[in-house]
Amino acid sequence: MISVKELSTLLGILSEENVETQSLEALCSQLHQCFSKQDNYKVGCALVLLLQNGDLLPRPWQRLAAITFLYDMYRGEVLASSPFAPVFVHLLQPTDPVVKPGPRKLEFTQLPRLSLSEKSFVSQLITNSSKDLLKKTAKQVLSVEGPVVDVSVLQMTLAEKHSELPSTGRAALSVLVPDSDLRSSLPVDPVAAHKTVEALLTGPLPVSAQNYRPEMLRLAPPLHVCEDELVWLNMVSPSEHQAAMDVTACVWNCAGVEAKKLMVKAFKSALTLQQQQHLLAELDNDPKLVYHIGLTPNKLPDLVENNPLIAIEVLLKLMQSTHITEYFSVLVNMEMSLHSMEVVNRLTTTVDLPTEFVHLYISNCISTCETIKDRYMQNRLVRLVCVFLQSLIRNKIINVQELFIEVQAFCIEFSRIREAAALFRLLKQLEAGGEGVVGGAPLSGVQPGKTKLGEP
């Protein structure tokens, strides 16, 4: 809680002489100079206590300055998130115009009832409706009346947050009981008021921090009737009782750990043949292990480039997974290479892949060949794509009619390459209804290239 020195500083800022002569903006500036942001909560708790006890802040302009401090300390944040938001809701509640005769009802932690001018000021304060609001003194604010904002939305937000608290957290009473016969006309001794505030707010356990909470009473559970359950403790007659031990208990299962280590290495570099065989054997022994070795769609391209055979086997084991389409999407959109083609070709010959997946991969391969600038790499990739497409056509994995125009344009663009010319002849032969897959007349008007595989 607040210390004696800090309390004296706060009361000095809220002194009657200081509040009368300084604008609210200047008072807020003094508060921020004397207290850091980390002190906002304990300073706010002290201000609330002063507001709850009218004799400690006897003047209306002192009370208005304290309310301004509560808002200014959390300016820039959402009002509903402020720990003192309920104070503003209570202060802006409409006052009952009908006052019943008789003794005044005693209320615990009672906040003051504001006048219309004070409510108007608080309304403009929490809605930021006036930029020059704090340039006035508290006395000048009290002389002006205006509209009062509706706080029903703020009340609903706070009620929702309040409902999330446990019942014991919402049920507590402060140990401070205000005087039910408080007469404001009596003079207030500043020295006595200062001592009272110190007694309430300072010390190892301030009175203001104490409260009464309901005691949680629980019925004692009934004792369990024990008949013959502890008979196994009697080890006098070994013939009746034999000790048994689970020999598999506390045995470390290192299979999954070793597989995870190999997968981490497989993402970064090529595994040796022995490591590949060991990893595949572990995956075959435990079909569910593939879901726990750390493979995610984002890591699939690294696995494909470094260990395509492992990638093929893992994807085959993930075919029944609900996330297999995410792996397909990453495989389609990754950079085209010999290893990615090898993985796709193996998958197409082993399982039935979605048609749109295969078509999209072919389109991406063709687009990559058309946009690459390096002539040597372009020729090499074109050869790979042509051989890949011929394999798909021969195995009847794709319906070439659906990609005929795109593949034919690709062959014509790269007709200087022998594999592209052979693919073009295959397309023409299939279009004419021929049975063979190789042969036929050369590309019309163009002589096939004489280069060997690997030459530019």
Side-chain angles (χ1 to χ4, degrees), residues 161-224:
K161 291 186 176 181
H162 193 68
S163 63
E164 297 175 358
L165 297 175
S167 300
T168 55
R170 302 195 301 266
L173 295 177
S174 173
V175 298
L176 295 178
V177 181
D179 188 0
S180 60
D181 189 23
L182 180 64
R183 289 167 289 178
S184 59
S185 59
L186 294 177
V188 178
D189 183 5
V191 178
H194 191 280
K195 291 183 178 179
T196 302
V197 175
E198 283 190 6
L200 293 176
L201 288 174
T202 60
L205 184 60
V207 178
S208 60
Q210 302 179 36
N211 50 54
Y212 289 117
R213 293 182 181 272
E215 184 180 359
M216 296 299 297
L217 298 178
R218 295 184 179 180
L219 296 177
L223 294 177
H224 178 67

Short mmCIF file of all heavy atoms in Angstrom, two decimals, residues 161-224:
data_model
loop_
_atom_site.label_atom_id
_atom_site.label_comp_id
_atom_site.label_asym_id
_atom_site.label_seq_id
_atom_site.Cartn_x
_atom_site.Cartn_y
_atom_site.Cartn_z
N LYS A 161 -17.89 -8.84 -16.65
CA LYS A 161 -16.61 -9.16 -15.99
C LYS A 161 -16.84 -9.58 -14.55
O LYS A 161 -16.17 -10.49 -14.03
CB LYS A 161 -15.69 -7.95 -16.05
CG LYS A 161 -15.17 -7.60 -17.43
CD LYS A 161 -14.17 -6.48 -17.37
CE LYS A 161 -13.59 -6.19 -18.75
NZ LYS A 161 -12.58 -5.11 -18.71
N HIS A 162 -17.80 -8.94 -13.89
CA HIS A 162 -18.07 -9.27 -12.49
C HIS A 162 -18.62 -10.68 -12.35
O HIS A 162 -18.34 -11.37 -11.37
CB HIS A 162 -19.07 -8.25 -11.92
CG HIS A 162 -19.18 -8.30 -10.43
ND1 HIS A 162 -18.16 -7.91 -9.58
CD2 HIS A 162 -20.19 -8.70 -9.61
CE1 HIS A 162 -18.54 -8.06 -8.33
NE2 HIS A 162 -19.77 -8.54 -8.32
N SER A 163 -19.40 -11.11 -13.35
CA SER A 163 -19.99 -12.45 -13.28
C SER A 163 -18.95 -13.55 -13.43
O SER A 163 -19.19 -14.69 -13.05
CB SER A 163 -21.06 -12.60 -14.37
OG SER A 163 -20.49 -12.48 -15.66
N GLU A 164 -17.79 -13.22 -14.02
CA GLU A 164 -16.73 -14.21 -14.20
C GLU A 164 -15.96 -14.48 -12.90
O GLU A 164 -15.24 -15.47 -12.81
CB GLU A 164 -15.76 -13.74 -15.28
CG GLU A 164 -16.41 -13.61 -16.67
CD GLU A 164 -15.44 -13.04 -17.68
OE1 GLU A 164 -14.30 -12.71 -17.28
OE2 GLU A 164 -15.83 -12.90 -18.85
N LEU A 165 -16.10 -13.59 -11.92
CA LEU A 165 -15.40 -13.79 -10.66
C LEU A 165 -16.06 -14.90 -9.85
O LEU A 165 -17.27 -15.13 -9.96
CB LEU A 165 -15.40 -12.49 -9.85
CG LEU A 165 -14.67 -11.29 -10.47
CD1 LEU A 165 -14.88 -10.06 -9.61
CD2 LEU A 165 -13.19 -11.58 -10.63
N PRO A 166 -15.31 -15.60 -9.00
CA PRO A 166 -15.94 -16.61 -8.14
C PRO A 166 -16.86 -15.95 -7.12
O PRO A 166 -16.73 -14.77 -6.80
CB PRO A 166 -14.72 -17.28 -7.47
CG PRO A 166 -13.63 -16.27 -7.56
CD PRO A 166 -13.85 -15.53 -8.84
N SER A 167 -17.78 -16.73 -6.61
CA SER A 167 -18.77 -16.19 -5.66
C SER A 167 -18.09 -15.62 -4.42
O SER A 167 -18.51 -14.59 -3.88
CB SER A 167 -19.76 -17.28 -5.27
OG SER A 167 -20.44 -17.75 -6.42
N THR A 168 -17.02 -16.27 -3.96
CA THR A 168 -16.33 -15.76 -2.77
C THR A 168 -15.62 -14.45 -3.05
O THR A 168 -15.42 -13.64 -2.13
CB THR A 168 -15.30 -16.80 -2.29
OG1 THR A 168 -14.42 -17.13 -3.39
CG2 THR A 168 -15.99 -18.05 -1.81
N GLY A 169 -15.22 -14.22 -4.30
CA GLY A 169 -14.57 -12.97 -4.63
C GLY A 169 -15.54 -11.81 -4.74
O GLY A 169 -15.15 -10.65 -4.64
N ARG A 170 -16.81 -12.12 -4.97
CA ARG A 170 -17.82 -11.06 -5.08
C ARG A 170 -18.52 -10.79 -3.75
O ARG A 170 -19.32 -9.85 -3.66
CB ARG A 170 -18.88 -11.45 -6.12
CG ARG A 170 -18.32 -11.71 -7.51
CD ARG A 170 -19.42 -11.73 -8.54
NE ARG A 170 -20.43 -12.72 -8.29
CZ ARG A 170 -20.42 -13.94 -8.81
NH1 ARG A 170 -19.44 -14.31 -9.59
NH2 ARG A 170 -21.38 -14.81 -8.55
N ALA A 171 -18.26 -11.61 -2.74
CA ALA A 171 -18.94 -11.47 -1.45
C ALA A 171 -17.92 -11.09 -0.39
O ALA A 171 -17.18 -11.94 0.09
CB ALA A 171 -19.65 -12.77 -1.08
N ALA A 172 -17.85 -9.83 -0.08
CA ALA A 172 -16.93 -9.36 0.96
C ALA A 172 -17.42 -8.01 1.46
O ALA A 172 -18.05 -7.25 0.72
CB ALA A 172 -15.51 -9.24 0.42
N LEU A 173 -17.16 -7.71 2.72
CA LEU A 173 -17.56 -6.46 3.35
C LEU A 173 -16.33 -5.77 3.91
O LEU A 173 -15.46 -6.41 4.52
CB LEU A 173 -18.58 -6.71 4.47
CG LEU A 173 -19.94 -7.28 4.06
CD1 LEU A 173 -20.78 -7.54 5.29
CD2 LEU A 173 -20.66 -6.33 3.12
N SER A 174 -16.26 -4.46 3.69
CA SER A 174 -15.15 -3.70 4.24
C SER A 174 -15.31 -3.57 5.75
O SER A 174 -16.42 -3.53 6.28
CB SER A 174 -15.11 -2.31 3.59
OG SER A 174 -14.15 -1.50 4.21
N VAL A 175 -14.18 -3.47 6.43
CA VAL A 175 -14.22 -3.29 7.88
C VAL A 175 -14.50 -1.83 8.25
O VAL A 175 -14.70 -1.52 9.43
CB VAL A 175 -12.90 -3.75 8.52
CG1 VAL A 175 -12.66 -5.22 8.28
CG2 VAL A 175 -11.72 -2.94 7.98
N LEU A 176 -14.49 -0.94 7.27
CA LEU A 176 -14.78 0.46 7.54
C LEU A 176 -16.28 0.71 7.47
O LEU A 176 -16.91 0.40 6.45
CB LEU A 176 -14.06 1.35 6.51
CG LEU A 176 -12.53 1.31 6.54
CD1 LEU A 176 -11.97 2.19 5.44
CD2 LEU A 176 -12.02 1.76 7.88
N VAL A 177 -16.84 1.26 8.50
CA VAL A 177 -18.27 1.56 8.56
C VAL A 177 -18.43 3.07 8.70
O VAL A 177 -17.97 3.66 9.69
CB VAL A 177 -18.95 0.83 9.74
CG1 VAL A 177 -20.44 1.14 9.76
CG2 VAL A 177 -18.71 -0.67 9.64
N PRO A 178 -19.05 3.74 7.71
CA PRO A 178 -19.20 5.20 7.81
C PRO A 178 -20.21 5.58 8.89
O PRO A 178 -21.09 4.80 9.25
CB PRO A 178 -19.69 5.59 6.42
CG PRO A 178 -20.37 4.37 5.91
CD PRO A 178 -19.62 3.21 6.47
N ASP A 179 -20.06 6.78 9.38
CA ASP A 179 -20.97 7.31 10.41
C ASP A 179 -22.31 7.60 9.76
O ASP A 179 -22.41 8.34 8.79
CB ASP A 179 -20.38 8.57 11.01
CG ASP A 179 -21.19 9.06 12.22
OD1 ASP A 179 -22.20 8.40 12.55
OD2 ASP A 179 -20.81 10.08 12.80
N SER A 180 -23.37 6.99 10.28
CA SER A 180 -24.70 7.19 9.70
C SER A 180 -25.27 8.56 10.03
O SER A 180 -26.23 9.01 9.41
CB SER A 180 -25.65 6.10 10.20
OG SER A 180 -25.73 6.16 11.62
N ASP A 181 -24.69 9.26 11.00
CA ASP A 181 -25.20 10.57 11.41
C ASP A 181 -24.14 11.63 11.11
O ASP A 181 -23.81 12.47 11.96
CB ASP A 181 -25.55 10.55 12.90
CG ASP A 181 -26.30 11.83 13.31
OD1 ASP A 181 -26.90 12.44 12.41
OD2 ASP A 181 -26.25 12.19 14.49
N LEU A 182 -23.59 11.57 9.89
CA LEU A 182 -22.54 12.50 9.50
C LEU A 182 -23.15 13.85 9.18
O LEU A 182 -24.04 13.97 8.34
CB LEU A 182 -21.78 11.96 8.29
CG LEU A 182 -20.64 12.84 7.78
CD1 LEU A 182 -19.55 12.95 8.84
CD2 LEU A 182 -20.07 12.27 6.49
N ARG A 183 -22.69 14.87 9.85
CA ARG A 183 -23.19 16.22 9.60
C ARG A 183 -22.08 17.05 8.97
O ARG A 183 -21.06 17.34 9.60
CB ARG A 183 -23.66 16.86 10.92
CG ARG A 183 -24.93 16.22 11.46
CD ARG A 183 -25.19 16.65 12.89
NE ARG A 183 -24.22 16.01 13.79
CZ ARG A 183 -24.20 16.26 15.10
NH1 ARG A 183 -25.06 17.10 15.64
NH2 ARG A 183 -23.31 15.66 15.86
N SER A 184 -22.29 17.43 7.71
CA SER A 184 -21.24 18.13 6.98
C SER A 184 -21.00 19.54 7.50
O SER A 184 -19.99 20.16 7.17
CB SER A 184 -21.62 18.19 5.49
OG SER A 184 -22.87 18.84 5.33
N SER A 185 -21.93 20.07 8.32
CA SER A 185 -21.77 21.44 8.81
C SER A 185 -20.71 21.54 9.89
O SER A 185 -20.22 22.63 10.20
CB SER A 185 -23.11 21.95 9.35
OG SER A 185 -23.57 21.11 10.41
N LEU A 186 -20.35 20.41 10.49
CA LEU A 186 -19.35 20.45 11.55
C LEU A 186 -17.98 20.73 10.95
O LEU A 186 -17.63 20.20 9.89
CB LEU A 186 -19.32 19.12 12.31
CG LEU A 186 -20.58 18.77 13.12
CD1 LEU A 186 -20.43 17.40 13.74
CD2 LEU A 186 -20.83 19.83 14.20
N PRO A 187 -17.18 21.53 11.59
CA PRO A 187 -15.83 21.82 11.07
C PRO A 187 -14.93 20.58 11.15
O PRO A 187 -15.05 19.76 12.07
CB PRO A 187 -15.33 22.94 11.98
CG PRO A 187 -16.09 22.78 13.25
CD PRO A 187 -17.45 22.26 12.85
N VAL A 188 -14.05 20.46 10.18
CA VAL A 188 -13.15 19.32 10.12
C VAL A 188 -11.75 19.77 10.51
O VAL A 188 -11.22 20.75 9.95
CB VAL A 188 -13.14 18.72 8.70
CG1 VAL A 188 -12.16 17.55 8.62
CG2 VAL A 188 -14.54 18.27 8.31
N ASP A 189 -11.16 19.08 11.45
CA ASP A 189 -9.81 19.39 11.89
C ASP A 189 -8.81 18.77 10.91
O ASP A 189 -8.75 17.54 10.77
CB ASP A 189 -9.58 18.82 13.29
CG ASP A 189 -8.19 19.20 13.84
OD1 ASP A 189 -7.49 19.98 13.16
OD2 ASP A 189 -7.84 18.72 14.92
N PRO A 190 -8.02 19.56 10.18
CA PRO A 190 -7.09 18.99 9.18
C PRO A 190 -6.09 18.04 9.79
O PRO A 190 -5.74 17.01 9.19
CB PRO A 190 -6.41 20.24 8.59
CG PRO A 190 -7.32 21.38 8.92
CD PRO A 190 -7.98 21.02 10.22
N VAL A 191 -5.60 18.35 10.98
CA VAL A 191 -4.61 17.48 11.61
C VAL A 191 -5.23 16.13 11.96
O VAL A 191 -4.64 15.06 11.72
CB VAL A 191 -4.03 18.16 12.87
CG1 VAL A 191 -3.03 17.22 13.56
CG2 VAL A 191 -3.38 19.48 12.52
N ALA A 192 -6.44 16.16 12.53
CA ALA A 192 -7.11 14.90 12.87
C ALA A 192 -7.45 14.10 11.62
O ALA A 192 -7.33 12.86 11.60
CB ALA A 192 -8.37 15.20 13.66
N ALA A 193 -7.86 14.79 10.56
CA ALA A 193 -8.17 14.10 9.30
C ALA A 193 -6.93 13.43 8.73
O ALA A 193 -6.98 12.30 8.22
CB ALA A 193 -8.77 15.08 8.30
N HIS A 194 -5.78 14.13 8.80
CA HIS A 194 -4.53 13.57 8.27
C HIS A 194 -4.13 12.32 9.06
O HIS A 194 -3.70 11.31 8.48
CB HIS A 194 -3.44 14.63 8.36
CG HIS A 194 -2.20 14.26 7.60
ND1 HIS A 194 -1.25 13.40 8.10
CD2 HIS A 194 -1.75 14.61 6.37
CE1 HIS A 194 -0.27 13.23 7.24
NE2 HIS A 194 -0.54 13.98 6.16
N LYS A 195 -4.27 12.36 10.38
CA LYS A 195 -3.94 11.19 11.20
C LYS A 195 -4.87 10.03 10.90
O LYS A 195 -4.46 8.85 10.88
CB LYS A 195 -4.01 11.55 12.68
CG LYS A 195 -2.91 12.50 13.14
CD LYS A 195 -3.01 12.77 14.64
CE LYS A 195 -1.89 13.69 15.11
NZ LYS A 195 -1.99 13.97 16.57
N THR A 196 -6.14 10.35 10.67
CA THR A 196 -7.09 9.28 10.35
C THR A 196 -6.74 8.60 9.03
O THR A 196 -6.78 7.37 8.92
CB THR A 196 -8.52 9.87 10.26
OG1 THR A 196 -8.83 10.50 11.50
CG2 THR A 196 -9.52 8.78 9.97
N VAL A 197 -6.40 9.41 8.04
CA VAL A 197 -6.03 8.84 6.73
C VAL A 197 -4.79 7.98 6.86
O VAL A 197 -4.69 6.89 6.27
CB VAL A 197 -5.83 9.96 5.70
CG1 VAL A 197 -5.33 9.38 4.39
CG2 VAL A 197 -7.12 10.72 5.48
N GLU A 198 -3.80 8.44 7.63
CA GLU A 198 -2.59 7.64 7.83
C GLU A 198 -2.91 6.31 8.49
O GLU A 198 -2.36 5.26 8.13
CB GLU A 198 -1.58 8.43 8.69
CG GLU A 198 -0.84 9.51 7.94
CD GLU A 198 0.30 10.09 8.78
OE1 GLU A 198 0.54 9.55 9.88
OE2 GLU A 198 0.92 11.06 8.33
N ALA A 199 -3.79 6.34 9.49
CA ALA A 199 -4.14 5.09 10.18
C ALA A 199 -4.86 4.12 9.26
O ALA A 199 -4.74 2.90 9.40
CB ALA A 199 -5.02 5.42 11.40
N LEU A 200 -5.61 4.67 8.29
CA LEU A 200 -6.38 3.80 7.41
C LEU A 200 -5.55 3.24 6.26
O LEU A 200 -5.78 2.11 5.81
CB LEU A 200 -7.58 4.57 6.84
CG LEU A 200 -8.67 5.00 7.82
CD1 LEU A 200 -9.72 5.83 7.11
CD2 LEU A 200 -9.31 3.78 8.47
N LEU A 201 -4.58 4.02 5.78
CA LEU A 201 -3.91 3.65 4.53
C LEU A 201 -2.49 3.17 4.70
O LEU A 201 -1.93 2.57 3.76
CB LEU A 201 -3.91 4.86 3.58
CG LEU A 201 -5.26 5.23 2.96
CD1 LEU A 201 -5.14 6.51 2.16
CD2 LEU A 201 -5.76 4.11 2.07
N THR A 202 -1.84 3.43 5.81
CA THR A 202 -0.43 3.04 5.96
C THR A 202 -0.29 1.94 6.99
O THR A 202 -1.23 1.61 7.72
CB THR A 202 0.41 4.26 6.37
OG1 THR A 202 -0.07 4.77 7.62
CG2 THR A 202 0.33 5.36 5.33
N GLY A 203 0.91 1.39 7.06
CA GLY A 203 1.17 0.30 7.99
C GLY A 203 1.32 -1.02 7.26
O GLY A 203 1.04 -1.16 6.06
N PRO A 204 1.78 -2.05 7.96
CA PRO A 204 1.97 -3.37 7.32
C PRO A 204 0.67 -3.98 6.81
O PRO A 204 0.66 -4.67 5.81
CB PRO A 204 2.60 -4.22 8.44
CG PRO A 204 2.22 -3.52 9.71
CD PRO A 204 2.14 -2.06 9.39
N LEU A 205 -0.44 -3.75 7.51
CA LEU A 205 -1.74 -4.25 7.07
C LEU A 205 -2.76 -3.12 7.22
O LEU A 205 -3.39 -2.97 8.26
CB LEU A 205 -2.18 -5.47 7.89
CG LEU A 205 -3.49 -6.14 7.43
CD1 LEU A 205 -3.37 -6.62 5.99
CD2 LEU A 205 -3.84 -7.31 8.34
N PRO A 206 -2.90 -2.28 6.18
CA PRO A 206 -3.81 -1.13 6.28
C PRO A 206 -5.24 -1.58 6.54
O PRO A 206 -5.68 -2.63 6.08
CB PRO A 206 -3.67 -0.45 4.92
CG PRO A 206 -2.41 -0.98 4.34
CD PRO A 206 -2.24 -2.35 4.88
N VAL A 207 -5.95 -0.75 7.30
CA VAL A 207 -7.35 -1.06 7.61
C VAL A 207 -8.19 -1.10 6.34
O VAL A 207 -9.11 -1.91 6.19
CB VAL A 207 -7.90 -0.04 8.62
CG1 VAL A 207 -9.37 -0.31 8.93
CG2 VAL A 207 -7.08 -0.06 9.89
N SER A 208 -7.85 -0.21 5.37
CA SER A 208 -8.64 -0.14 4.15
C SER A 208 -8.53 -1.40 3.31
O SER A 208 -9.39 -1.68 2.47
CB SER A 208 -8.19 1.06 3.32
OG SER A 208 -6.80 0.94 2.98
N ALA A 209 -7.45 -2.17 3.50
CA ALA A 209 -7.26 -3.40 2.73
C ALA A 209 -7.91 -4.60 3.38
O ALA A 209 -7.92 -5.69 2.81
CB ALA A 209 -5.78 -3.67 2.52
N GLN A 210 -8.43 -4.44 4.59
CA GLN A 210 -9.03 -5.56 5.30
C GLN A 210 -10.52 -5.65 4.97
O GLN A 210 -11.19 -4.65 4.74
CB GLN A 210 -8.84 -5.40 6.81
CG GLN A 210 -7.38 -5.28 7.24
CD GLN A 210 -7.25 -5.09 8.72
OE1 GLN A 210 -8.02 -5.65 9.50
NE2 GLN A 210 -6.27 -4.30 9.14
N ASN A 211 -11.02 -6.84 4.95
CA ASN A 211 -12.45 -7.05 4.70
C ASN A 211 -12.87 -8.39 5.28
O ASN A 211 -12.04 -9.25 5.59
CB ASN A 211 -12.76 -7.00 3.20
CG ASN A 211 -11.84 -7.88 2.39
OD1 ASN A 211 -11.70 -9.07 2.65
ND2 ASN A 211 -11.18 -7.30 1.40
N TYR A 212 -14.16 -8.53 5.43
CA TYR A 212 -14.75 -9.77 5.93
C TYR A 212 -15.25 -10.58 4.74
O TYR A 212 -16.00 -10.07 3.90
CB TYR A 212 -15.91 -9.48 6.88
CG TYR A 212 -15.47 -8.91 8.22
CD1 TYR A 212 -15.85 -7.63 8.61
CD2 TYR A 212 -14.68 -9.66 9.08
CE1 TYR A 212 -15.46 -7.11 9.84
CE2 TYR A 212 -14.28 -9.15 10.31
CZ TYR A 212 -14.66 -7.88 10.67
OH TYR A 212 -14.25 -7.37 11.87
N ARG A 213 -14.83 -11.82 4.68
CA ARG A 213 -15.28 -12.73 3.62
C ARG A 213 -16.00 -13.91 4.25
O ARG A 213 -15.66 -14.33 5.35
CB ARG A 213 -14.09 -13.24 2.79
CG ARG A 213 -13.41 -12.16 1.97
CD ARG A 213 -12.28 -12.74 1.13
NE ARG A 213 -11.61 -11.71 0.35
CZ ARG A 213 -12.00 -11.33 -0.86
NH1 ARG A 213 -13.05 -11.91 -1.41
NH2 ARG A 213 -11.34 -10.39 -1.50
N PRO A 214 -16.99 -14.44 3.55
CA PRO A 214 -17.71 -15.61 4.12
C PRO A 214 -16.79 -16.81 4.23
O PRO A 214 -15.96 -17.07 3.35
CB PRO A 214 -18.82 -15.85 3.08
CG PRO A 214 -18.33 -15.23 1.83
CD PRO A 214 -17.51 -14.05 2.23
N GLU A 215 -16.91 -17.52 5.30
CA GLU A 215 -16.09 -18.71 5.52
C GLU A 215 -16.67 -19.88 4.74
O GLU A 215 -17.88 -20.12 4.74
CB GLU A 215 -16.06 -19.05 7.01
CG GLU A 215 -15.15 -20.23 7.34
CD GLU A 215 -15.14 -20.53 8.81
OE1 GLU A 215 -15.84 -19.80 9.56
OE2 GLU A 215 -14.47 -21.51 9.22
N MET A 216 -15.80 -20.57 4.02
CA MET A 216 -16.24 -21.71 3.22
C MET A 216 -16.36 -22.94 4.13
O MET A 216 -15.35 -23.50 4.58
CB MET A 216 -15.24 -21.98 2.09
CG MET A 216 -15.16 -20.85 1.08
SD MET A 216 -16.74 -20.58 0.26
CE MET A 216 -16.95 -22.13 -0.58
N LEU A 217 -17.58 -23.32 4.41
CA LEU A 217 -17.85 -24.47 5.27
C LEU A 217 -18.18 -25.68 4.41
O LEU A 217 -19.01 -25.61 3.49
CB LEU A 217 -19.02 -24.16 6.21
CG LEU A 217 -18.80 -23.00 7.18
CD1 LEU A 217 -20.05 -22.78 8.02
CD2 LEU A 217 -17.60 -23.26 8.09
N ARG A 218 -17.54 -26.78 4.70
CA ARG A 218 -17.79 -28.02 3.95
C ARG A 218 -18.06 -29.14 4.96
O ARG A 218 -17.42 -29.22 6.00
CB ARG A 218 -16.58 -28.39 3.09
CG ARG A 218 -16.30 -27.38 1.99
CD ARG A 218 -15.14 -27.85 1.11
NE ARG A 218 -14.87 -26.92 0.05
CZ ARG A 218 -13.91 -27.09 -0.87
NH1 ARG A 218 -13.15 -28.18 -0.81
NH2 ARG A 218 -13.71 -26.20 -1.80
N LEU A 219 -19.01 -29.97 4.59
CA LEU A 219 -19.31 -31.11 5.44
C LEU A 219 -18.16 -32.11 5.41
O LEU A 219 -17.56 -32.36 4.36
CB LEU A 219 -20.60 -31.80 4.98
CG LEU A 219 -21.88 -30.96 5.07
CD1 LEU A 219 -23.06 -31.73 4.50
CD2 LEU A 219 -22.16 -30.57 6.52
N ALA A 220 -17.86 -32.65 6.55
CA ALA A 220 -16.80 -33.66 6.62
C ALA A 220 -17.27 -34.92 5.91
O ALA A 220 -18.39 -35.39 6.12
CB ALA A 220 -16.47 -33.97 8.07
N PRO A 221 -16.44 -35.49 5.03
CA PRO A 221 -16.85 -36.70 4.33
C PRO A 221 -16.99 -37.87 5.30
O PRO A 221 -16.25 -37.96 6.30
CB PRO A 221 -15.71 -36.94 3.33
CG PRO A 221 -14.54 -36.27 3.94
CD PRO A 221 -15.07 -35.08 4.68
N PRO A 222 -17.91 -38.78 5.03
CA PRO A 222 -18.06 -39.95 5.92
C PRO A 222 -16.86 -40.87 5.84
O PRO A 222 -16.20 -40.96 4.79
CB PRO A 222 -19.32 -40.63 5.41
CG PRO A 222 -19.42 -40.20 3.98
CD PRO A 222 -18.88 -38.81 3.92
N LEU A 223 -16.56 -41.56 6.92
CA LEU A 223 -15.44 -42.49 6.93
C LEU A 223 -15.76 -43.71 6.09
O LEU A 223 -16.89 -44.22 6.08
CB LEU A 223 -15.12 -42.91 8.37
CG LEU A 223 -14.60 -41.80 9.29
CD1 LEU A 223 -14.40 -42.36 10.70
CD2 LEU A 223 -13.31 -41.22 8.76
N HIS A 224 -14.76 -44.19 5.38
CA HIS A 224 -14.94 -45.36 4.53
C HIS A 224 -14.89 -46.63 5.39
O HIS A 224 -14.02 -46.80 6.24
CB HIS A 224 -13.84 -45.41 3.47
CG HIS A 224 -13.92 -46.62 2.59
ND1 HIS A 224 -14.94 -46.82 1.70
CD2 HIS A 224 -13.08 -47.68 2.47
CE1 HIS A 224 -14.75 -47.95 1.06
NE2 HIS A 224 -13.62 -48.50 1.51
#
